[in-house]
Amino acid sequence: MSGFLRDLVLIVLVLVLLALQLVLNRYVSWLSMLDLPLIAVLYLTLSKESLVWTVLSGTGVGFLQDSLSLGAMGMNGFTKISVSFLAYLANSVFAIDRLAARWIMLFLASVVATLMLFLLRVLFLNREEVVDVKQLLAMGLVNACMGLAIFYLFDRMTRDSND
């Protein structure tokens, strides 16, 4: 698959995940702990290995998620950019191409993104909230397991037939 076609397929898959996230949040409330846009941004970060691509994808996905949600504008965008930048740095230091490394990265990214959103809501929206550690860990587990499946699916859809 050529580079341009591969990038186009990735963008379409990310848009499908954004739409699926919107539908899941609206109609299947018990799956609201799943953060599909975060998984998509992390895949884009690991697959392209470019800092510019990381910032652009985090900005674009975060802005689209903010515009489709009822939350304050910019919070998801800031979170996606920050977490994807940390994943980019981790990928430059460690080889995140193995299954266990990807699972750990997805788990930690989910926990950090949730804590970052919590902190932004407390600081900028003046909300009084409490962190539920069990729910935080459950979100990390769900996102890590689902993220591995989505990474596998994206790898299968975008890899060359010669590989």
Side-chain angles (χ1 to χ4, degrees), residues 96-149:
I96 304 182
D97 56 349
R98 302 280 185 215
L99 191 67
R102 283 185 170 189
W103 190 89
I104 290 169
M105 190 261 321
L106 284 162
F107 178 80
L108 290 175
S110 175
V111 169
V112 167
T114 304
L115 288 174
M116 193 175 293
L117 277 173
F118 167 78
L119 187 64
L120 289 173
R121 282 193 303 265
V122 169
L123 290 176
F124 295 114
L125 298 179
N126 201 19
R127 292 187 183 170
E128 293 181 16
E129 296 183 12
V130 177
V131 175
D132 185 6
V133 177
K134 287 183 184 179
Q135 184 179 7
L136 182 69
L137 295 176
M139 288 175 71
L141 288 172
V142 167
N143 284 318
C145 294
M146 192 61 153
L148 286 180

Side-chain angles (χ1 to χ4, degrees), residues 27-60:
Y27 297 111
V28 188
S29 61
W30 59 273
L31 277 178
S32 64
M33 68 174 52
L34 190 59
D35 194 358
L36 294 174
L38 177 67
I39 294 169
V41 168
L42 290 173
Y43 182 80
L44 292 174
T45 298
L46 295 179
S47 68
K48 296 296 279 186
E49 296 181 2
S50 165
L51 185 58
V52 173
W53 180 260
T54 297
V55 171
L56 290 176
S57 65
T59 302

